[in-house]
């Protein structure tokens, strides 16, 4: 990484629970490519003030994570189609004080559905109804999945999410039988709920594919249980690598190779 200097371009992330994953991913690639950039993670109790700082200080890029993905929409200038489609933002690009917001989570999920060759005829159960759940459900709909159920405790957000995409909504765990299980909640994430397995062993046994969007750790209780049962597993590590690569290109103008993404993702978890 270059020595700090007045011409260095700053990119940041805003999250309720920051980790070093994005920081290490981006800075690793800045150094490899010889870019005069630096990336730093932040949390805040004043989102409006933080976004005003992005604009006023010329911060080039801002990654947005839970719980700010929806609230931040009112604070930017342009909402790109990927964010407008799901009312959720995870990426802000500052061009001479103009803030444009998009959602690379949606792009990453869509890529993984295709890469792992998930069958559009399969039945899908998605647990969660927050900003990331919107990206997941929208990506499954865009990929042609017709039989999807949203499972969420919040009747307002869960019901609205399911209705928007023409899917079923429930508030309690159904009987096992869905072929694809997707966790889009903090269950299994480092912290107070780190030991919680978001779907039961019986649900896993009946499934073909288990997709846990939790990025840290990538080996959640759900992912471990699914691997032990020999299921196809898609992890949050894959999601965060793909969405970070898309952000990197938006911030710097440099497209990354699959090898660069893989190496940066591995380094980010050391």
């Amino acid at each position: 990484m270059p020595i700090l200097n007045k011409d260095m371009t700053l990119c940041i992330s805003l999250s309720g629970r920051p980790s070093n994953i994005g920081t290490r991913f981006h800075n690793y690639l800045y150094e490899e490519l010889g870019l005069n950039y630096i990336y730093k993670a932040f949390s805040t109790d004043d989102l409006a003030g933080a976004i005003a700082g992005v604009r006023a200080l010329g911060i080039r890029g801002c990654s947005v994570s839970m719980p700010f993905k929806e609230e931040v929409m009112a604070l930017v200038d342009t909402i790109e189609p990927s964010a407008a489609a799901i009312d959720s933002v995870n990426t802000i690009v500052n061009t001479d004080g103009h803030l444009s917001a998009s959602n690379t989570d949606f792009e990453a999920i869509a890529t993984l559905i295709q890469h792992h060759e998930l069958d559009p005829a399969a039945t899908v159960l998605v647990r969660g109804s927050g900003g990331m759940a919107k990206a997941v459900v929208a990506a499954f709909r865009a990929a042609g999945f017709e039989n999807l159920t949203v499972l969420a405790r919040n009747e307002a957000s869960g019901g609205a999410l399911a209705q928007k995409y023409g899917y079923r909504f429930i508030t309690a765990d159904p009987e096992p039988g869905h072929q694809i299980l997707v966790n889009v909640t903090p269950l299994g994430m480092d912290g107070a709920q780190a030991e919680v397995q978001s779907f039961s062993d019986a649900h896993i046994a009946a499934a073909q594919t288990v997709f846990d969007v939790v990025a840290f750790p990538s080996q959640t209780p759900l992912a471990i249980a699914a691997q032990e049962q020999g299921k196809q597993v898609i992890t949050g590590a894959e999601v965060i690598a793909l969405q970070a690569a898309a952000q990197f290109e938006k911030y710097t103008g440099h497209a990354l190779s699959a090898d660069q993404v893989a190496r940066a993702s591995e380094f980010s978890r050391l």
Side-chain angles (χ1 to χ4, degrees), residues 125-134 136-137 148-154 157-159 161-162 169-170 182-187 199:
L125 179 62
V126 176
R127 182 186 293 275
S129 60
M132 188 63 169
K134 291 180 179 180
V136 167
V137 173
L148 183 148
T149 300
V150 175
L151 166 61
R153 292 181 299 176
N154 188 316
S157 63
L161 176 59
F169 170 64
I170 56 175
V182 189
N183 174 49
V184 204
T185 74
L187 298 177
F199 290 103

Side-chain angles (χ1 to χ4, degrees), residues 23-269:
T23 301
R24 291 174 66 84
F25 182 97
H26 286 268
N27 286 320
Y28 174 89
L29 292 166
Y30 295 157
E31 182 171 5
E32 179 174 290
L33 295 170
L35 301 178
N36 193 27
Y37 277 68
I38 190 169
Y39 189 103
K40 175 74 171 67
F42 292 93
S43 187
T44 183
D45 293 323
D46 180 5
L47 181 62
I51 298 302
V54 169
R55 191 192 305 273
L57 297 175
I59 295 171
R60 170 58 176 167
C62 178
S63 170
V64 183
S65 298
M66 296 185 296
F68 306 125
K69 292 184 176 186
E70 298 169 16
E71 183 182 353
V72 78
M73 295 185 74
L75 304 174
V76 300
D77 302 308
T78 300
I79 304 293
E80 296 182 13
S82 60
I86 59 177
D87 297 320
S88 178
V89 164
N90 83 327
T91 303
I92 298 172
V93 177
N94 180 2
T95 304
D96 298 326
H98 183 94
L99 304 186
S100 180
S102 59
N103 196 300
T104 63
D105 288 332
F106 172 85
E107 298 169 16
I109 299 295
T111 297
L112 288 169
I113 289 172
Q114 182 178 23
H115 175 75
H116 289 279
E117 299 181 340
L118 301 188
D119 183 1
T123 56
V124 185
L125 179 62
V126 176
R127 182 186 293 275
S129 60
M132 188 63 169
K134 291 180 179 180
V136 167
V137 173
F140 272 97
R141 172 54 80 189
F145 286 76
E146 298 290 341
N147 194 338
L148 183 148
T149 300
V150 175
L151 166 61
R153 292 181 299 176
N154 188 316
E155 293 189 20
S157 63
L161 176 59
Q163 183 178 27
K164 180 172 183 177
Y165 294 99
Y167 289 135
R168 182 182 177 219
F169 170 64
I170 56 175
T171 57
D173 282 19
E175 291 295 317
H178 288 83
Q179 295 163 302
I180 300 174
L181 303 176
V182 189
N183 174 49
V184 204
T185 74
L187 298 177
M189 183 183 294
D190 275 357
Q193 297 175 304
E195 303 303 318
V196 180
Q197 185 174 306
S198 51
F199 290 103
S200 71
D201 287 339
H203 283 87
I204 296 170
Q208 299 171 356
T209 300
V210 173
F211 188 173
D212 197 339
V213 180
V214 169
F216 197 76
S218 60
Q219 292 299 301
T220 61
L222 175 63
I224 293 169
Q227 288 163 352
E228 289 175 347
Q229 292 198 37
K231 305 299 180 179
Q232 179 184 40
V233 176
I234 306 172
T235 70
E238 295 176 73
V239 177
I240 199 169
L242 288 175
Q243 69 85 21
Q247 290 179 328
F248 188 93
E249 182 173 354
K250 290 176 186 290
Y251 299 158
T252 69
H254 286 264
L256 299 173
S257 68
D259 180 63
Q260 287 173 317
V261 173
R263 285 188 285 103
S265 180
E266 181 179 1
F267 178 79
S268 73
R269 294 181 172 279

